[in-house]
């Protein structure tokens, strides 16, 4: 019997990538073991500890896999990926394969660490690779594969995109082949079983071309290989959700992780009527200002849509269009907000990237002015610009003399904690920019809007800038308290229900 295939996902116990590969390998007749290495923590992310690496080493000794796959979705986690990779190569002689967005864009770089790289969608390629490794066959004809041979690097062509993505099945919840290593302990079993939320995607690909996102780079990798944006059938989505609901006893909410949720009227019609009857749990989606449509959103709300997170990113038309390559106008954004309000979406969150090197004080002021025009109620998610290796905005920063290659490398490949520190909170020392940032934050609170307007009229005053900073800190504290009270109420309700 073949040795199992061990797949490791990082900082995500739901890790859809490795779960989809598990499906493909199981269907091809291979045993798999999945390791979810460390949990996601957006405030204090920790690199791998020695103890956690030891736990992984012991598990590998016990499982004795024939091949190990690392899912390297983001460069953010490279620090931990390198540590895990080092531990494996210094203790074992097991072929290593890397897959995910980072290896897809940088196969040569990754082949310094791994024996193989799978580029793009890896379901078929991993099965062919495992078959070749286990039967000692050549790998030179495996599409999507990159590999080394006699010190030379070979990057094979990409296979056409699978049109019918229902063929991939869907991730399995549960199973005794899963392990969760976190906080210096190892737990056997699928960590997802204890979750109150379930994440899935009903599609693959995104039609937009934002310069800071790797979706456009992946689209280029697949140029001429078929439709990049594809949707699963409603049947397939319902089957997955019914399975998840049956297995996860405490399931309370569904997160659709699609880059862009479907706006196909027929799909939405079928989905909305079936979801309400067959699943009946609140769900959230990512929205896009150009995809918000009153008829469709109202159907989704009646089916259970409770939260839309919509990326706006900047209130400056120049930053949006020229820097971020987002084509929606101020009016289209405002109108999308009005539709969400009219359809009574219970929770609307607008996402902005602020205080990056492309933004002027005038740009951030325009973001404040746009936020004032967006209809309450809404919440704001304010963060920095995360330069992802390989994305267009990296080259733009160099071409426009905004940052040097060395500075960008320092940012993109710094430690996980440093990258998060750059992402949250004030991101520059400009008192003017920090003033407008604070005012933007205030716009989401009805009672703080008049204060923000009062301060905006006195933007030149040092005293008003200090006052804005104080109000901002106070509101942040208020938000945190409100969040914990909400969470506490939910926990209390769950405990009372169990009794
Ligand atoms: S809309 Fe979202 S997923 Fe699509 S390219 Fe822009 S940032 Fe990426």
């Amino acid at each position: 019997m073949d040795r199992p295939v061990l797949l490791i996902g990082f900082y995500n116990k739901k890790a859809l990538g490795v779960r989809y590969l598990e499906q493909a390998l199981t269907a091809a007749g291979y045993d798999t073991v999945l390791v979810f290495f460390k949990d996601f923590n957006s405030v204090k992310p920790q690199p791998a500890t020695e103890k956690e690496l030891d736990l992984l080493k012991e598990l590998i000794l016990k499982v004795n896999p024939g091949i190990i796959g690392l899912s390297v979705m983001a460069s953010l986690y490279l620090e931990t990926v390198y540590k895990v990779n080092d531990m494996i190569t210094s203790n074992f002689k097991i072929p290593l394969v890397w897959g995910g967005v980072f290896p897809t864009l940088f196969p040569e770089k990754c082949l310094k660490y791994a024996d193989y790289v799978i580029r793009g969608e890896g379901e078929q390629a991993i099965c062919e690779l495992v078959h070749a490794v286990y039967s000692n066959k050549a790998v030179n004809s495996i599409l999507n594969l990159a590999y080394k041979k006699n010190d030379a690097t070979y990057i094979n062509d990409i296979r056409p995109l699978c049109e019918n993505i229902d063929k991939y099945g869907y991730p399995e919840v549960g199973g005794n082949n899963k392990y969760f290593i976190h906080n210096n302990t190892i737990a056997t079993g699928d960590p997802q079983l204890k979750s109150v939320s379930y994440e899935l995607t009903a599609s693959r690909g995104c039609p937009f071309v934002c310069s800071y996102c790797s979706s456009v780079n992946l689209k280029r990798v697949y140029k001429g290989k078929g439709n990049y944006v594809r949707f699963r059938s409603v049947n397939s989505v319902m089957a997955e959700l019914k399975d998840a609901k049956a297995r996860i006893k405490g399931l309370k909410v569904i997160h659709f992780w699609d880059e862009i949720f479907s706006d196909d009227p027929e799909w939405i019609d079928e989905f909305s009527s079936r979801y309400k009857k067959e699943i009946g749990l609140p769900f959230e989606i990512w929205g896009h200002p150009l995809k918000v449509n009153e008829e469709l959103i109202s159907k989704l709300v009646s089916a259970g849509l409770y939260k839309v997170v919509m990326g706006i990113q900047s209130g400056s038309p120049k930053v949006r269009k020229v820097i971020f390559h987002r084509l929606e106008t101020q009016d289209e954004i405002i109108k999308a907000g009005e539709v969400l309000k009219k359809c009574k979406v219970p929770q609307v969150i607008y996402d902005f990237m602020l205080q990056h090197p492309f933004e002027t004080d005038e740009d951030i002021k325009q973001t404040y002015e746009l936020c004032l025009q967006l209809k309450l109620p809404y919440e704001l998610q304010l963060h920095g610009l995360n330069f992802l290796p390989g994305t267009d905005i990296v080259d733009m920063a160099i071409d426009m003399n905004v940052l040097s290659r060395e500075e960008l490398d320092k940012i993109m490949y710094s430690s996980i904690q440093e990258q998060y520190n750059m992402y949250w909170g004030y991101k520059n020392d400009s008192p003017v920019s920090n003033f407008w940032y604070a005012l933007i934050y205030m716009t989401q609170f009805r009672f703080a809007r008049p204060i923000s307007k009062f301060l905006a009229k006195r933007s030149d005053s040092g005293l008003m800038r200090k006052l804005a900073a104080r109000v901002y800190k106070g509101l942040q504290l208020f938000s945190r308290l409100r969040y914990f009270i909400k969470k506490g109420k939910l926990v209390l309700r769950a405990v009372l229900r169990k009794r």
Side-chain angles (χ1 to χ4, degrees):
M1 185 160 160
D2 286 326
R3 288 154 70 187
V5 179
L6 184 107
L7 301 171
I8 305 175
F10 293 90
Y11 293 93
N12 182 0
K13 56 191 180 193
K14 297 173 182 175
L16 288 176
V18 292
R19 287 178 188 268
Y20 267 104
L21 294 187
E22 177 195 16
Q23 284 312 295
L25 287 162
T26 307
Y30 297 106
D31 285 337
T32 55
V33 172
L34 267 57
V35 179
F36 303 96
F37 195 80
K38 299 195 67 70
D39 202 0
F40 178 72
N41 183 331
S42 64
V43 183
K44 270 206 162 304
Q46 306 283 343
T49 64
E50 286 307 315
K51 173 77 183 164
E52 287 161 347
L53 293 169
D54 279 347
L55 290 170
L56 181 59
K57 184 173 145 192
E58 280 165 29
L59 181 67
I60 295 173
L61 280 168
K62 185 174 108 181
V63 168
N64 188 25
I67 186 164
I68 298 178
L70 306 192
S71 170
V72 191
M73 186 181 80
S75 53
L76 191 65
Y77 310 138
L78 278 178
E79 182 189 4
T80 294
V81 172
Y82 290 146
K83 280 189 179 179
V84 165
N85 205 83
D86 276 357
M87 183 280 288
I88 296 171
T89 50
S90 46
N91 289 287
F92 302 95
K93 289 227 165 318
I94 300 172
L96 264 166
V97 52
W98 284 22
V101 177
F102 187 74
T104 298
L105 300 182
F106 298 98
E108 280 116 335
K109 211 178 251 188
C110 296
L111 283 171
K112 288 187 189 140
Y113 304 90
D115 302 292
Y116 307 101
V117 158
I118 289 178
R119 300 167 67 222
E121 293 176 10
E123 281 88 345
Q124 284 156 280
I126 190 125
C127 295
E128 291 170 20
L129 174 67
V130 171
H131 176 72
V133 169
Y134 285 3
S135 51
N136 220 5
K137 293 209 168 105
V139 297
N140 58 327
S141 61
I142 300 178
L143 296 173
N144 296 52
L145 194 75
Y147 60 99
K148 292 174 291 192
K149 193 174 170 192
N150 302 332
D151 289 334
T153 297
Y154 298 86
I155 299 177
N156 292 349
D157 195 7
I158 293 278
R159 74 192 65 215
L161 281 162
C162 172
E163 280 290 324
N164 175 10
I165 53 172
D166 280 3
K167 275 192 195 156
Y168 289 140
Y170 51 83
E172 186 197 61
V173 180
N176 55 10
N177 64 334
K178 298 181 178 72
Y179 298 85
F180 179 40
I181 296 178
H182 184 59
N183 274 346
N184 295 327
T185 57
I186 182 164
T188 307
D190 189 346
Q192 173 121 299
L193 286 172
K194 291 189 185 141
S195 184
V196 292
S197 64
Y198 182 74
E199 290 170 12
L200 77 159
T201 54
S203 64
R204 293 196 182 191
C206 171
F208 297 106
V209 291
C210 306
S211 61
Y212 50 85
C213 174
S214 44
S215 179
V216 55
N217 305 82
L218 295 180
K219 199 183 294 183
R220 283 187 203 125
V221 167
Y222 275 110
K223 192 159 185 261
K225 300 288 181 185
N227 288 332
Y228 182 59
V229 183
R230 291 144 296 150
F231 293 94
R232 291 168 61 188
S233 68
V234 174
N235 251 343
S236 163
V237 173
M238 289 301 147
E240 174 172 359
L241 287 172
K242 277 189 209 164
D243 257 15
K245 204 177 156 187
R247 288 174 194 229
I248 306 174
K249 297 299 168 216
L251 186 60
K252 296 274 178 295
V253 58
I254 305 295
H255 291 194
F256 282 93
W257 216 241
D258 299 81
E259 288 154 312
I260 295 296
F261 199 73
S262 171
D263 63 345
D264 174 64
E266 270 182 43
W267 196 97
I268 295 283
D269 265 349
E270 187 187 348
F271 171 83
S272 306
S273 57
R274 287 189 59 185
Y275 185 92
K276 200 173 174 176
K277 277 189 241 129
E278 296 173 32
I279 311 299
L281 288 170
F283 67 94
E284 73 168 82
I285 63 169
W286 290 87
H288 189 287
L290 296 179
K291 293 279 181 184
V292 169
N293 162 316
E294 189 178 333
E295 200 190 329
L296 304 187
I297 294 288
S298 58
K299 281 180 184 160
L300 291 176
V301 170
S302 69
L305 173 66
Y306 85 101
K307 180 159 137 190
V308 174
V309 182
M310 191 160 85
I312 298 176
Q313 312 313 354
S314 175
S316 153
K318 183 199 78 198
V319 170
R320 266 200 327 270
K321 189 170 175 188
V322 181
I323 308 297
F324 292 162
H325 298 168
R326 294 183 65 109
L327 299 183
E328 55 276 17
T329 62
Q330 298 304 79
D331 281 352
E332 282 165 330
I333 293 169
I334 293 164
K335 200 163 159 259
E338 282 167 1
V339 168
L340 296 177
K341 184 176 167 71
K342 196 167 174 201
C343 296
K344 296 195 172 69
V345 177
Q347 197 179 358
V348 175
I349 297 181
Y350 295 124
D351 189 80
F352 283 95
M353 291 193 294
L354 302 174
Q355 297 194 313
H356 45 79
F358 297 95
E359 186 187 66
T360 62
D361 291 344
E362 181 55 30
D363 292 322
I364 192 163
K365 183 180 171 209
Q366 287 181 356
T367 298
Y368 166 68
E369 285 159 357
L370 177 67
C371 286
L372 277 185
Q373 293 186 70
L374 294 171
K375 292 261 184 295
L376 286 166
Y378 63 75
E379 289 166 46
L380 292 177
Q381 210 163 264
L382 309 179
H383 52 84
L385 165 62
N386 196 7
F387 283 97
L388 299 173
T391 51
D392 290 2
I393 204 156
V394 172
D395 290 335
M396 287 162 65
I398 296 167
D399 293 345
M400 293 164 78
N401 276 329
V402 164
L403 289 166
S404 67
R405 168 66 63 194
E406 291 69 36
E407 285 169 320
L408 281 158
D409 280 352
K410 213 170 152 220
I411 293 171
M412 293 188 296
Y413 300 111
S414 57
S415 73
I416 186 167
Q417 184 65 63
E418 282 167 325
Q419 291 196 53
Y420 269 92
N421 291 349
M422 280 182 265
Y423 200 60
W424 300 114
Y426 284 149
K427 283 147 288 285
N428 66 33
D429 299 326
S430 155
V432 180
S433 172
N434 287 344
F435 172 76
W436 291 113
Y437 188 99
L439 264 55
I440 291 167
Y441 191 79
M442 288 176 210
T443 60
Q444 63 190 308
F445 304 95
R446 204 176 291 281
F447 62 88
R449 275 193 169 198
I451 306 172
S452 81
K453 288 180 189 167
F454 171 84
L455 293 167
K457 283 189 196 142
R458 294 155 182 84
S459 60
D460 290 336
S461 154
L463 189 66
M464 292 300 142
R465 286 181 193 162
K466 275 190 196 149
L467 185 59
R470 290 252 166 101
V471 176
Y472 168 58
K473 289 258 155 64
L475 288 173
Q476 270 192 317
L477 197 65
F478 170 76
S479 282
R480 241 173 268 148
L481 276 175
R482 194 174 56 176
Y483 170 78
F484 285 121
I485 290 171
K486 256 191 208 169
K487 217 170 172 188
K489 273 187 189 166
L490 280 179
V491 173
L492 195 68
R493 233 179 273 154
V495 171
L496 290 176
R497 218 173 291 139
K498 267 188 193 160
R499 285 186 177 177

